[in-house]
C-alpha cells in the first residue's frame, strides 16, 4: 500500500510517495502560498501530481503548528494561514482519499521510531533543531499529546529568566539559545564583544548582520574559525542544559536530535552529551538517555505522516468491509 506524506512548512510544501518500508519513491514540491485557499490548492496539486504516477490510497499532512487531538483540525500554525481550520476533511473531499494530520515533530518522531534512530525504544524524545526547536515524545510507540493535543512545546521551556525575547511572547526560551537562529544571534553578540576574533564573520557582518546565518556560522566553525567555534560551544551548552530538563521530566531511553542544525552535529553533540550528563538531576547515579542523530533526515516528517495515513487507510478499508 502506497501513501502520500506532505511536509507543510512555512516556505515550502514537500510531498512524497512512501511505501511500507518507509522508502520515499517519488516527490513533488511547491512554494508555500500565503493564503488559506491557495495553500490548500497547492497541497491538492502536489497530491494529484503524485497520484497520477502511483496508486496511492491515503494522504498525511505534517504541519508545523497545533493539531487537534483528533488529527482533523489545525488550531493554529504561526507560519501558515490556518486558524481553527478543518483541514483534513476539506483536503479529503478534494483528493477523494482519507487524510490525516499530525504535528511535524510528532511525524518525524514516529518515523524515527519505526524506521530509524529510536527503533524499539519504549520512551523516546525527538528534538528537532532548526529555525526554532520542535519536540515530540513517544510512549510505547504512541505520541504523547497532552490534554488538548498541543504537547510538548519543548522549544519554549524557559532556560534563562529575563533572557532573549521570543516570538511566543516569553523571554529566555530554549530555542532562543539552541537553534539555527540562536547560533546566528550568539555569533553577532560575540562579534560585538570580540571584534578581532573572526575576520571572516566580522567582514560579512559589516554589510548586514543578517548575513551571519546559523548555516554560515556552522560552516565557519568547520573551517576552524575561533569565534564560530565559540558560538557552537555555546549552543552545545544550552542543548545539554535543555536535554537535562527533558530527562528530568520524561526520563527517555533515547533522544533523537533532528532538524537542519543536526547536520552539524559533529561540531557540538559530544559537548552537549557531556553537559547533559553533568547537570541532569542525579548525575552519576542514574542511567542516561542515548542521544543520537536522526537517521531519516528531511524525509522524516513525510515518512512518519505517510505511515499514519497508511494506518488510516487500512482502518477505513476494514470498516468498509464490515459494512
Amino acid at each position: 500500500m502506497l501513501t502520500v506524506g506532505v511536509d507543510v512548512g512555512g516556505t515550502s510544501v514537500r510531498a512524497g510517495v512512501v511505501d511500507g518500508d518507509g522508502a520515499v519513491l517519488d516527490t513533488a514540491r511547491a512554494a508555500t502560498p500565503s493564503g488559506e485557499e491557495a495553500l490548500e490548492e497547492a497541497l491538492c496539486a502536489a497530491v494529484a501530481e503524485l497520484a497520477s504516477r502511483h496508486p496511492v490510497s491515503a494522504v498525511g499532512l505534517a504541519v508545523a503548528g497545533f493539531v487537534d487531538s483528533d488529527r482533523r483540525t489545525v488550531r493554529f500554525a504561526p507560519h501558515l494561514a490556518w486558524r481553527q481550520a478543518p483541514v483534513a476533511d476539506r483536503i479529503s473531499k478534494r483528493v477523494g482519499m482519507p487524510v490525516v494530520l499530525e504535528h511535524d515533530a510528532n511525524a518525524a518522531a514516529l518515523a524515527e521510531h519505526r524506521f530509524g534512530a529510536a527503533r524499539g525504544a519504549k520512551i523516546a524524545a525527538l528534538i528537532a533543531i532548526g529555525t526554532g526547536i520542535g519536540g515530540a515524545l513517544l510512549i510505547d510507540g504512541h505520541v504523547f499529546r497532552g490534554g488538548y493535543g498541543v504537547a510538548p512545546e519543548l522549544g519554549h521551556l524557559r532556560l534563562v529568566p529575563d533572557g532573549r525575547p521570543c516570538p511566543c511572547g516569553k523571554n529566555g526560551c530554549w530555542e532562543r539559545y539552541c537553534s539555527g537562529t540562536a547560533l546566528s544571534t550568539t555569533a553577532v553578540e560575540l562579534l560585538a564583544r570580540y571584534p578581532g576574533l573572526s575576520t571572516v564573520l566580522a567582514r560579512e557582518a559589516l554589510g548586514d548582520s543578517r548575513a551571519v546565518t546559523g548555516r554560515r556560522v556552522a560552516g565557519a566553525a568547520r573551517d576552524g574559525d575561533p569565534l564560530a567555534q565559540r558560538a557552537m560551544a555555546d549552543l552545545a551548552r544550552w542543548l545539554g542544559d535543555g536535554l537535562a530538563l527533558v530527562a528530568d521530566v520524561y526520563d527517555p531511553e533515547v533522544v533523537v536530535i533532528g532538524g537542519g542544525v543536526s547536520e552539524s552535529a559533529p561540531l557540538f553533540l559530544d559537548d552537549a552529551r557531556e553537559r547533559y550528563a553533568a547537570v541532569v538531576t542525579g548525575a552519576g547515579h542514574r542511567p542516561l538517555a542515548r542521544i543520537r542523530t536522526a537517521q531519516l533526515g528531511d524525509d522524516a516528517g513525510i515518512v512518519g505522516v505517510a505511515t499514519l495515513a497508511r494506518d488510516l487507510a487500512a482502518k477505513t478499508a476494514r470498516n468498509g468491509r464490515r459494512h
Side-chain angles (χ1 to χ4, degrees):
M1 185 185 294
L2 301 181
T3 53
V4 175
V6 187
D7 189 347
V8 189
T11 58
S12 66
V13 172
R14 296 174 54 247
V17 176
V18 181
D19 68 14
D21 295 322
V24 179
L25 308 180
D26 194 3
T27 60
R29 190 179 194 126
T32 302
S34 56
E36 190 170 7
E37 186 173 341
L39 174 57
E40 294 181 13
E41 180 65 35
L43 293 177
C44 293
V47 172
E49 178 184 340
L50 294 174
S52 70
R53 300 196 291 263
H54 304 273
V56 297
S57 56
V59 177
L61 306 179
V63 180
F66 294 165
V67 174
D68 204 358
S69 56
D70 64 2
R71 293 181 291 171
R72 312 300 301 161
T73 300
V74 177
R75 292 179 179 271
F76 170 73
H79 304 295
L80 301 172
W82 291 315
R83 300 292 183 270
Q84 300 296 337
V87 174
D89 291 336
R90 292 202 303 229
I91 299 297
S92 180
K93 287 179 182 177
R94 294 182 63 171
V95 301
M97 288 181 277
V99 173
V100 65
L101 305 177
E102 185 55 275
H103 186 282
D104 57 352
N106 288 343
L110 288 166
E112 291 291 342
H113 186 266
R114 189 168 295 196
F115 302 109
R119 188 180 301 184
K122 288 183 174 294
I123 307 293
L126 178 129
I127 312 296
I129 309 175
T131 303
I133 287 180
L137 175 70
L138 300 181
I139 301 173
D140 291 330
H142 299 286
V143 172
F144 173 76
R145 303 177 188 280
Y148 301 99
V150 300
E153 279 297 321
L154 299 178
H156 298 287
L157 294 172
R158 179 176 285 171
L159 263 64
V160 185
D162 301 319
R164 294 172 181 169
C166 182
C168 77
K170 298 192 298 186
N171 291 76
C173 291
W174 189 15
E175 67 176 42
R176 306 318 296 164
Y177 295 85
C178 182
S179 64
T181 305
L183 194 57
S184 170
T185 301
T186 299
V188 170
E189 290 178 353
L190 289 172
L191 282 168
R193 199 179 314 159
Y194 308 106
L197 195 58
S198 172
T199 55
V200 175
L201 293 178
R203 186 168 56 248
E204 293 179 358
L206 279 176
D208 186 351
S209 62
R210 289 175 296 183
V212 184
T213 63
R215 188 178 295 276
R216 183 68 191 92
V217 175
R222 277 191 289 271
D223 292 338
D225 182 273
L227 186 139
Q229 289 176 339
R230 189 174 294 194
M232 196 64 73
D234 191 75
L235 182 142
R237 172 204 169 189
W238 291 116
L239 176 56
D241 283 356
L243 290 176
L245 285 180
V246 172
D248 287 345
V249 177
Y250 297 135
D251 191 25
E253 298 169 46
V254 176
V255 178
V256 178
I257 306 296
V261 175
S262 70
E263 296 173 6
S264 301
L267 298 173
F268 64 81
L269 196 56
D270 285 344
D271 289 342
R273 287 189 180 106
E274 288 184 14
R275 177 71 178 180
Y276 153 68
V279 301
V280 68
T281 302
H285 303 283
R286 60 182 287 180
L288 297 175
R290 302 187 301 278
I291 301 171
R292 299 174 172 172
T293 51
Q295 293 182 4
L296 301 179
D298 288 344
D299 288 337
I302 289 173
V303 172
V305 81
T307 301
L308 288 175
R310 184 173 298 103
D311 295 342
L312 175 63
K315 181 179 178 181
T316 301
R318 286 196 302 271
N319 289 341
R321 288 194 297 269
R322 205 171 289 137
H323 293 91

